[in-house]
Every structure is written in structure tokens, then in C-alpha cells.
Amino acid sequence: MSTSGLPALPAAPATGRSDVVARLRGALLGASFTADGLLELLGAPAYAALARSETVPALRATRGDTPLEVLVRLFLLQQPVPHARVADVLPVEECLESGWLVRVGGDSEDDVAATVDVRPYGGPGGEDWFIVSDLGCAVGGAGGIGSRDEGVVLGVGGASTTLAGITVRTPVSAALDLGTGSGIQALHAAQHATRVTATDLNPRALHITALTLALSGAPAAELREGSLLEPVRDDETYDLIVSNPPFVISPGARLTYRDGGMSGDDLCRTLVQQAGERLNEGGFAQFLANWQHVEGEDWQDRIRSWVPRGCDAWIVQREVQDVTQYAELWLRDAGDHRGDPAEYQAYYDAWLDEFEARKVKAVGFGWITLRRTGAAVPSVTVEEWPHPVEQPLGDTVRAHFDRLDFLRAHDDAALLAGHFRLVSEVVQEQVGLPGAEDPEHVVLRQHRGMRRATKVDTVGAGFAGVCDGSLSAGRILDAIAQLVGEDPVLLRDRTPAQIRLLVEQGFLEPA
């Protein structure tokens, strides 16, 4: 893989100067070069501007000479800093020798500059981590650098944090991070997995993942070069598989970090189909993916066909873009809009030609979660949910599959004998015309997790409202039947379907 134009990286800590990495980490923490420290120094507007690839506010906020300002300019804003000033903050000679820093500034070489981006990142338990990536790739995405070098390794972006947020975090023996990039998913997995394996087609990414783990004080992972599941041996299985793969549907494979090199959405389909046989019983595989909306096909049926045998699945479409929006998004990601207009038009035409040939009218983006199951009839849920959710969602994802197991094990009679409890922070909304005696319908709305809303009838609303675990569902329905003057037998016959829906969507939980 070409790395022309990029400074040499330091040796991986596992085989090189781990003592330098430890001293560097200590110096960064000592200067409060952390997520909280950055927010306090820069202020919310400048901090948010960095995510939009706008560095001017941060440069203005770091015109002083404190250790933290020096480190922000050096590692996050990639500005040359006088050698003497850096020496007051970091073990500068060791960092120069091991490749974290390089001398710049012409003949005098009195300034030093970073060879990699280092971005503070707050772990879910308040840990102070550092994500290493290539220069210019930690703030605001690729910024077009990929058009100059296919071997670049990006830092933390919205997709990375989304996947980290939805991943189920339970203690496991073995976790696998496919296409590890800068190592953020491996870093998260190292907190709850005894053994972490990370793969990537780009050897540079594996090297940077090792740096990310070491600089964050995390256990080392087993790093394997190869595309996605290719480096995994036939006899290896895992309790957790995660991947933020190169899912962009594009004509060709210009950029390794985003283009998978397969036609259409074949890469995502292949990854999902092959992951099932690599999971231990009860294990999860979680991916971000793009999928095509093809003329004459139901997109939900298309994605359902990807799910491997022996797996439950929960697939959530979060966004849909028409083909022109999609092409423009990724042309901008590569920086093509800043180049020659004729070349930009040619690239744009190539994208639209590809979509037209495949009868693609739009592209969906979302989450795919598989769970290996021994159930005779696995459950596959495919839905569209473009609304705001509350991250992290790992516990919500795990609870979804726990509820599937409960519902599979309980027929209608068992449901009516069961005890349920309304989950916390669910509110009831009555919708209707002002002044009307009765509402047109009642909505139950969650304020946590997926933040779902569902319509219920008056019986469903009344049932949910009194579910505190003390009475069985059947006894509650008998009481409601007496209040509304209905036959209790008929009410018991028609209500279990509504109870199942409320349990499935997380409004009710077994007591």
C-alpha cells in the first residue's frame, strides 16, 4: 500500500519503544490533553467547529503558551511548535527518535511537528484515551486527502462513534474488529473482551491501531493483515464481531478507507452472510452498512435475504439518500469538488451511470445486528427509524434480543399469566381535536433508548398504565373488562397481540 507523502510512523509499541509511549501518555495526561480538557480550553463553539473541519476558532483559542495549548497546536491542529517549548512539555528527544515528532523549519530546524494526529477521546467509563490517525484525518474526516493517498487511516468520525454506541458491551472471551482503521472499535472491545483480534487490508492501519491501544493504556490486540474475514482461520469463532467496513457504493475502488472494491452493496451483503458462521452461540455481530434501493424490489426483503441461517437479526435503516445526494456526499468526502470541474463532472457521471445500470434509485444507511441463536425459527426485524435516539444503545440492543427470547418462550396463555412492568420514562399522549370528549388515539412515547412512539387503543393505554408487576396480565384485563363493560373472555382473546407489540418494542418488560 502506498504511503507516499506521509511521514514515517514510530515502531509499534509492542516491538519498539513502549517506554516512550508510556512517558508520552503521562505527559499528555499531565497537561490535561483530554476530551474534557479540550472542551474547557477551546469552549463549545470552537470544539464543535473542529468536527466541521474548521480550525480557525481553535487556533484563536490556543494563542497562549500553556502546555495544553502547545499540545493542541502540535497534535490536533498540526502546527509547527518551537523545539524548546515542546521540550518543556514532552520527552522531545525520545519522541523525535521514535518517530512521533519530526524536525521542521528549514536549515535551522528549530521547530518540531507531529507525524500523526493524536485526538483525545473519552471512554464510556470516563477513561482518557487517544486515537491516533494520519495527519489531517482526525478532525473533520478525510478532507480530500484520500485522493492523494489511498493508504491513509482516518480518525474518529460519526460512523465510528455510532458503531461504538450501539455495540453490546457484555464481558466476552473473544472479540473481532474487522477493518479496524485507527483502532477505536478494538479499543472499546478491549475493555470487556479477554482477547481482541483486529484485521485490516492496510498494514498502516494495523500499525496505527497498535499505537492507539498503547497510547490509551489498553491491552494489545492480535493484529492481522487482510480484507475483513480473510485473515480469520476456519476454526475460529467469536462472541462479538464488529465492523465499520468500507461500505460506500461507488464505481470502482479509488479510496481504500471507504470503497470496498465489490459491485454495489455486495461487500456489506457478503460480510453479513459470512459473519454468522463465525459467531458462538449467543454471540453478536454488529455492522454499519449501506444498501441499494433497487427499482422493483422491496428494500426490506433485499436486506432480509442477507441474514444468515441460525441468526436473529435487527436491521434499522437510519437514512435514505437519492443517488444524486449520495454521489455528491462522497465526491465531497474525497475532495473532488475542489479539483478540476471537468474531472469532477466525469466522476459524477460515472456514479450516476453505475446506479442507472443497476437500477438503483436510492441508498439506505443503517445498523445491522446479528445474534447467533438455537431457535427453530429465528426472528428477523427490518425497520426504518430516522428519528433521534439516545446513545449509547448497546443495552437497548441487548434488551431487544432478550425480549425476543421471552416472547418466543411464551404463548398467549403464558403472556396472560405473566406479570409486566411499564419501563421508566414512558409518557402517554392523547391526540384529538381541541374540546373533543374522547381522543382520536392514544400514543405511548419513550424518552430513553430508541425513543419509540406507538399508537394504542384505550384498553392498551389502560393496561400499560397499571402494569407495575403486582398483577398478572389476565387479572388486569379482567378488571378493565369490568370497567368498560366488555366480555372478559373476548378481551383476553384479542389483547395478547397488543401486549406482544408493547413488549417487543420495549414499552413493557417482564416483572
Side-chain angles (χ1 to χ4, degrees):
M1 187 68 65
S2 169
T3 55
S4 59
L6 291 172
L9 293 174
T15 57
R17 297 292 305 275
S18 58
D19 58 323
V20 176
V21 175
R23 290 187 63 193
L24 177 56
R25 173 173 169 79
L28 297 178
L29 294 176
S32 296
F33 187 64
T34 62
D36 290 341
L38 282 185
L39 182 59
E40 183 177 350
L41 171 68
L42 302 179
Y47 192 76
L50 288 176
R52 304 191 300 269
S53 200
E54 296 291 349
T55 58
V56 172
L59 287 168
R60 290 172 62 86
T62 56
R63 289 180 291 193
D65 206 32
T66 66
L68 179 55
E69 288 169 302
V70 168
L71 293 176
V72 171
R73 289 199 301 272
L74 184 66
F75 283 118
L76 196 58
L77 302 177
Q78 289 97 54
Q79 300 295 305
V81 178
H83 178 283
R85 188 66 194 96
V86 177
D88 292 336
V89 184
L90 300 177
V92 66
E93 295 305 323
E94 290 94 333
C95 288
L96 285 166
E97 179 186 348
S98 57
W100 289 94
L101 303 176
V102 65
R103 292 183 182 272
V104 295
D107 295 336
S108 63
E109 293 190 341
D110 56 353
D111 287 349
V112 297
T115 60
V116 287
D117 272 312
V118 177
R119 175 176 173 175
Y121 180 82
E127 303 92 345
D128 289 315
W129 292 340
F130 300 98
I131 309 299
V132 181
S133 64
D134 275 322
L135 292 172
C137 295
V139 175
I145 194 170
S147 61
R148 296 193 298 274
D149 195 304
E150 294 185 348
V152 298
V153 179
L154 302 190
V156 178
S160 302
T161 55
T162 294
L163 179 58
I166 67 172
T167 300
V168 175
R169 302 294 177 193
T170 54
V172 296
S173 295
L176 175 64
D177 176 15
L178 300 174
T180 187
S182 61
I184 180 175
Q185 309 305 331
L187 179 57
H188 277 279
Q191 310 309 302
H192 62 102
T194 304
R195 177 173 60 90
V196 177
T197 302
T199 74
D200 205 288
L201 181 64
N202 182 4
R204 186 173 182 78
L206 298 176
H207 192 87
I208 284 183
T209 290
L211 297 178
T212 290
L213 293 171
L215 194 58
S216 299
E222 183 179 359
L223 306 175
R224 300 184 188 176
E225 183 179 342
S227 179
L228 301 176
L229 282 160
E230 286 178 2
V232 179
R233 297 191 299 270
D234 290 342
D235 61 343
E236 289 181 308
T237 56
Y238 298 86
D239 307 298
L240 175 66
I241 300 174
V242 293
S243 183
N244 177 18
F247 54 66
V248 177
I249 299 170
S250 61
R254 293 172 56 213
L255 307 175
T256 301
Y257 69 85
R258 69 169 206 196
D259 303 322
M262 296 187 187
S263 297
D265 51 18
D266 283 353
L267 182 138
C268 292
R269 175 185 56 79
T270 301
L271 179 59
V272 172
Q273 290 177 336
Q274 293 180 351
E277 63 189 33
R278 300 296 185 177
L279 285 176
N280 294 324
E281 186 75 17
F284 287 91
Q286 298 185 262
F287 315 103
L288 300 185
N290 275 179
W291 43 77
Q292 298 173 150
H293 285 228
V294 179
E295 185 177 343
E297 291 186 19
D298 183 289
W299 73 268
Q300 293 186 335
D301 290 342
R302 179 184 182 84
I303 306 305
R304 247 185 224 101
S305 71
W306 293 5
V307 178
R309 290 183 179 181
C311 287
D312 292 324
W314 184 21
I315 301 169
V316 182
Q317 180 168 272
R318 295 287 290 154
E319 184 180 359
V320 180
Q321 291 184 320
D322 67 48
V323 292
T324 59
Q325 291 174 310
Y326 189 80
E328 290 162 12
L329 169 67
W330 294 108
L331 287 168
R332 288 182 175 274
D333 173 82
D336 292 322
H337 63 298
R338 295 196 295 264
D340 177 53
E343 192 173 62
Y344 173 80
Q345 183 175 340
Y347 283 139
Y348 202 149
D349 273 333
W351 284 69
L352 297 186
D353 286 345
E354 176 81 5
F355 286 134
E356 185 176 341
R358 301 179 68 86
K359 297 183 178 180
V360 177
K361 57 184 180 179
V363 177
F365 167 81
W367 319 324
I368 298 176
T369 299
L370 307 177
R371 185 190 62 167
R372 191 76 184 176
T373 180
V377 181
S379 169
V380 178
T381 301
V382 183
E383 62 176 318
E384 186 165 17
W385 190 254
H387 311 294
V389 298
E390 181 191 45
Q391 285 275 34
L393 277 170
D395 287 345
T396 299
V397 173
R398 179 182 50 78
H400 168 87
F401 290 93
D402 289 345
R403 293 193 299 269
L404 287 183
D405 288 340
F406 173 83
L407 291 173
R408 271 196 291 242
H410 289 74
D411 59 16
D412 287 357
L415 276 185
L416 292 174
H419 293 239
F420 298 92
R421 185 168 39 236
L422 186 69
V423 302
S424 61
E425 298 194 43
V426 171
V427 298
Q428 176 179 303
E429 301 172 359
Q430 295 187 348
V431 181
L433 294 174
E437 184 175 346
D438 296 313
E440 292 180 10
H441 57 265
V442 177
V443 173
L444 298 182
R445 188 178 302 277
Q446 300 169 351
H447 281 242
R448 304 298 300 272
M450 290 293 286
R451 295 177 175 168
R452 294 188 184 278
T454 189
K455 288 183 182 179
V456 292
D457 59 20
T458 54
V459 171
F463 178 85
V466 298
C467 276
D468 60 4
S470 60
L471 297 175
S472 70
R475 290 190 62 186
I476 293 173
L477 290 178
D478 290 344
I480 291 175
Q482 187 174 2
L483 284 174
V484 299
E486 279 204 43
D487 184 332
V489 174
L490 295 178
L491 194 61
R492 279 174 172 254
D493 283 345
R494 70 178 176 85
T495 306
Q498 193 167 187
I499 296 174
R500 285 186 181 277
L501 180 64
L502 292 174
V503 172
E504 181 182 346
Q505 295 191 343
F507 290 92
L508 295 177
E509 60 186 5

